[in-house]
Amino acid sequence: MGSSLKLQKITETDTDFIVKLGADPRVTADIGDGKPWSREYSTQRVTLAMQSTDISWFIVWQDHVRLGLFTATRRTHATEIGYWLAPDFWGQGLAKLLVSRGIEELHEMGCTDLIARVAPENLASLKILERHGFIAQSQDDSIITLTKATPEL
């Protein structure tokens, strides 16, 4: 898998992939309440992402293989990012590339102020976000909020 990662706006044909990711407790452990998503909930989230102008979900591809998901949700003062990587691809440095490619995509869309929320025990994600210039702004027992402001292009 030597080619670069590609992001593609989510479509209905990606629903089964999201259902599979959402059903995996390793993937959802640090998301929301930490519980796996039901098929119904995953399907609802995909539909919302396709219909909303404030939510952008991108399937992450490499060499015609779906690797994960990059999300961007427009908030009042910034765009919140999130990402999932299928466990088969963990430990290969791909999450770092996924975040880089996602940030590039958002810059192309004109998004310059970004936030991310990460569970304190999710050290791998914290490290990735910090390497991309995110800075912790607040923390409580369940979440660290990080921000990144980038110059407008």
Side-chain angles (χ1 to χ4, degrees), residues 5-151:
L5 299 182
K6 298 189 182 350
L7 270 63
Q8 184 176 37
K9 280 273 210 178
I10 197 166
T11 67
E12 199 170 321
T13 60
D14 299 309
T15 301
D16 285 342
F17 176 68
I18 298 302
V19 167
K20 182 179 176 186
L21 283 179
D24 190 321
R26 296 170 296 174
V27 174
T28 59
D30 293 316
I31 298 168
D33 64 6
K35 296 178 183 173
W37 290 9
S38 68
R39 171 174 277 285
E40 179 182 2
Y41 185 71
S42 292
T43 302
Q44 289 171 354
R45 294 295 303 263
V46 169
T47 300
L48 180 62
M50 289 187 306
Q51 294 174 347
S52 175
T53 56
D54 291 331
I55 301 171
S56 298
W57 279 19
F58 302 92
I59 298 297
V60 181
W61 294 83
Q62 187 177 53
D63 297 334
H64 308 288
V65 175
R66 287 180 185 102
L67 304 181
L69 173 70
F70 182 84
T71 66
T73 305
R74 194 169 308 147
R75 303 290 185 202
T76 304
H77 300 291
T79 300
E80 181 176 350
I81 69 164
Y83 56 95
W84 292 2
L85 187 62
D88 289 348
F89 303 104
W90 290 4
Q92 300 175 35
L94 294 170
K96 183 173 91 173
L97 296 174
L98 186 161
V99 171
S100 290
R101 184 62 196 103
I103 291 171
E104 287 173 13
E105 183 72 27
L106 292 177
H107 286 173
E108 291 169 14
M109 294 169 58
C111 301
T112 56
D113 294 329
L114 306 178
I115 63 171
R117 292 184 172 92
V118 181
E121 63 273 7
N122 191 346
L123 299 178
S125 281
L126 283 170
K127 189 175 186 181
I128 288 168
L129 292 165
E130 288 170 349
R131 285 187 176 164
H132 282 88
F134 282 79
I135 299 168
Q137 296 296 320
S138 64
Q139 178 175 351
D140 62 30
D141 290 341
S142 63
I143 206 84
I144 299 172
T145 300
L146 301 101
T147 61
K148 175 182 175 71
T150 55

